[in-house]
Amino acid sequence: MPEISIIMPVYNGEAYLASAIKSVQAQTFPGWELLVIDDGSLDKSREIVEGFAKDDERVKLLHRTENQGLVYSLNEGLAAASGEFIARLDSDDRWSDPGKLLLQKDFLRANSQVGLLGAWGQIIKPDGQPVRKLTYPVSDSQIRREILIHNCFIHSSIFARRRLMLDCGGYNPAESLVEDYGLWLRMGLKAQFYNLPRIMVEYRLTPLGLTRSQNSRQVKQAAGLVSRYGRSYPNSIAAKIKWAIQRLL
């Protein structure tokens, strides 16, 4: 049984999918399974995954014929996972550090109080050219001071305890545009946070950004999270002001 389950949803992601999977296979720690959840793709995503799975039994395809959305795919992957730990990788991102899984696994083994672990990243253009670094607060106390003001974790960098994610209800469909943010805030009620101050992931900018309508809904959902968890984290007043301003823009 693998120690680590990696969840990778994909929908029409043929352009960068192979690169993402290869970055998993390049990891120095071999004890993983990669669960690729194909959410009814109309391109060659399924065929790409099947090609990798034929040669590497650790790569597993979960396929559905109809698109049901990211949150559904994330929860399907979480339910199918068998590892003690969960890692996440979006199909258009890639891990740039081959030691990522080993370093994060060893960190959680040595720090039982930490439930959610992230890392720093590098923003890249669609063609892979670097744009700028993504750095976030490192320690639990630093993250807690800022997490209501902004999400302090790159989704493709996270490494977490599967049981904690399940105990916190997984990803909430009602938070479909801030599903990761909401889950982190619930996990922080039961465990500590940490970010490794090391660039481990390349976060790709793609032309498929949020529409203005979606962005407005995303800000509304984020503001709702601040109201819900404001008593559990510092700086709730500053966070409410920040998200109120964002709703006016």
Side-chain angles (χ1 to χ4, degrees):
M1 182 178 295
E3 287 188 69
I4 302 167
S5 296
I6 304 155
I7 299 175
M8 181 188 292
V10 61
Y11 177 65
N12 293 342
E14 64 179 6
Y16 308 110
L17 180 56
S19 175
I21 296 175
K22 288 177 182 178
S23 77
V24 174
Q25 291 180 317
Q27 290 293 302
T28 58
F29 180 75
W32 50 262
E33 64 175 356
L34 173 61
L35 303 173
V36 184
I37 305 94
D38 178 26
D39 193 18
S41 294
L42 303 176
D43 63 2
K44 296 182 179 179
S45 294
R46 178 178 180 178
E47 290 89 337
I48 291 171
V49 180
E50 289 175 335
F52 280 97
K54 184 184 299 184
D55 298 324
D56 190 340
E57 63 181 6
R58 298 173 299 176
V59 179
K60 303 173 182 178
L61 173 67
L62 286 74
H63 174 74
R64 72 176 71 95
T65 56
E66 295 183 5
N67 178 263
Q68 296 190 41
L70 177 60
V71 174
Y72 188 97
S73 294
L74 290 170
N75 284 329
E76 183 176 351
L78 190 57
S82 57
E84 178 183 357
F85 302 109
I86 297 292
R88 271 280 292 115
L89 181 59
D90 285 332
S91 63
D92 53 359
D93 295 338
R94 66 184 305 275
W95 290 336
S96 56
D97 188 335
K100 176 187 182 294
L101 292 181
L102 180 60
L103 287 169
Q104 291 186 307
K105 176 184 71 71
D106 287 349
F107 186 93
L108 285 195
R109 289 267 186 236
N111 296 273
S112 60
Q113 74 280 11
V114 176
L116 176 62
L117 176 63
W120 290 356
Q122 172 78 52
I123 296 177
I124 60 174
K125 295 179 180 179
D127 62 2
Q129 292 298 308
V131 176
R132 65 178 177 86
K133 295 179 180 178
L134 278 176
T135 61
Y136 289 105
V138 172
S139 71
D140 180 70
S141 60
Q142 292 170 334
I143 293 171
R144 286 179 187 276
R145 283 197 297 269
E146 296 190 28
I147 197 165
L148 287 183
I149 298 173
H150 63 91
N151 190 339
C152 296
F153 293 94
I154 304 168
H155 207 167
S156 285
S157 82
I158 69 102
F159 193 93
R161 302 182 192 277
R162 178 172 63 92
R163 177 45 54 192
L164 175 63
M165 296 181 77
L166 291 172
D167 288 346
C168 291
Y171 296 89
N172 187 346
E175 301 163 353
S176 60
L177 296 176
V178 291
E179 70 286 333
D180 56 335
Y181 197 12
L183 179 54
W184 310 160
L185 290 169
R186 292 192 296 279
M187 291 172 70
L189 302 179
K190 298 185 177 185
Q192 291 187 10
F193 299 127
Y194 202 86
N195 269 316
L196 293 178
R198 175 167 170 166
I199 292 177
M200 292 184 163
V201 61
E202 291 180 344
Y203 174 80
R204 195 184 306 270
L205 296 175
T206 63
L208 301 176
L210 291 174
T211 66
R212 185 175 183 86
S213 173
Q214 286 176 315
N215 186 63
S216 175
R217 289 172 53 217
Q218 186 181 50
V219 170
K220 182 178 180 180
Q221 288 183 14
L225 292 176
V226 171
S227 296
R228 192 175 311 151
Y229 298 104
R231 294 183 179 180
S232 302
Y233 294 95
N235 291 329
S236 62
I237 294 177
K240 289 178 180 179
I241 293 173
K242 182 255 188 178
W243 289 110
I245 293 172
Q246 287 291 105
R247 294 185 68 175
L248 295 175
L249 297 179

